[in-house]
Amino acid sequence: MKKFDFKLEPLYDYRQRIEDICRKEFSAANARLDEEEVKLEKLREVYRNSSSEIDEMKEKGASMDEISLYYNYLIGLKKHIAGQEKVIVEFRGALEVKRGELHEASKNKRVVEIMKEKSFSAHMTEMNRQELKIADDMAVSRFKRGAGHEI
């Protein structure tokens, strides 16, 4: 039986490697987005805690200079939070780009997979046809040999 040989195997291997690279890049971008979201949540937690501390300072009768310093700190923290939110928006956009690239790479690989499956199916059909022909030829040959003895 003749071995199956897919002529586009190098193309399939190439597209598989591209898909693997895209999958790794998508995974890395997703992990980085998660890290940035954790940073944002920590900044928000610091902001909430600092706001509570200002309330406590007011209750304890802290000086206006101290409270003013804390307000300035909170304003800076709020700007930092807004900057971190912009970073996250950018990372989400980059993640969507990576998702699109991965989808496209998977689709391109799937096209070659379908071609490979059809080629293999055609190969198996041809092999079965050849095996049937050989079996038929052997049966005819046996029949002829058997018929020759009886005459």
Side-chain angles (χ1 to χ4, degrees), residues 117-131:
E117 290 168 2
K118 286 181 179 180
S119 179
F120 181 72
S121 179
H123 171 77
M124 292 307 293
T125 301
E126 178 61 23
M127 290 297 106
N128 288 338
R129 189 187 64 74
Q130 287 179 7
E131 285 179 11

Side-chain angles (χ1 to χ4, degrees), residues 7-24:
K7 303 273 189 242
L8 298 176
E9 194 67 37
L11 177 63
Y12 175 77
D13 293 341
Y14 170 76
R15 289 194 175 171
Q16 177 67 48
R17 284 191 303 276
I18 296 296
E19 182 186 34
D20 291 343
I21 290 168
C22 288
R23 184 171 277 111
K24 287 177 186 174

Side-chain angles (χ1 to χ4, degrees), residues 21-34:
I21 290 168
C22 288
R23 184 171 277 111
K24 287 177 186 174
E25 289 176 352
F26 175 76
S27 179
N30 200 23
R32 184 68 197 269
L33 176 62
D34 289 344

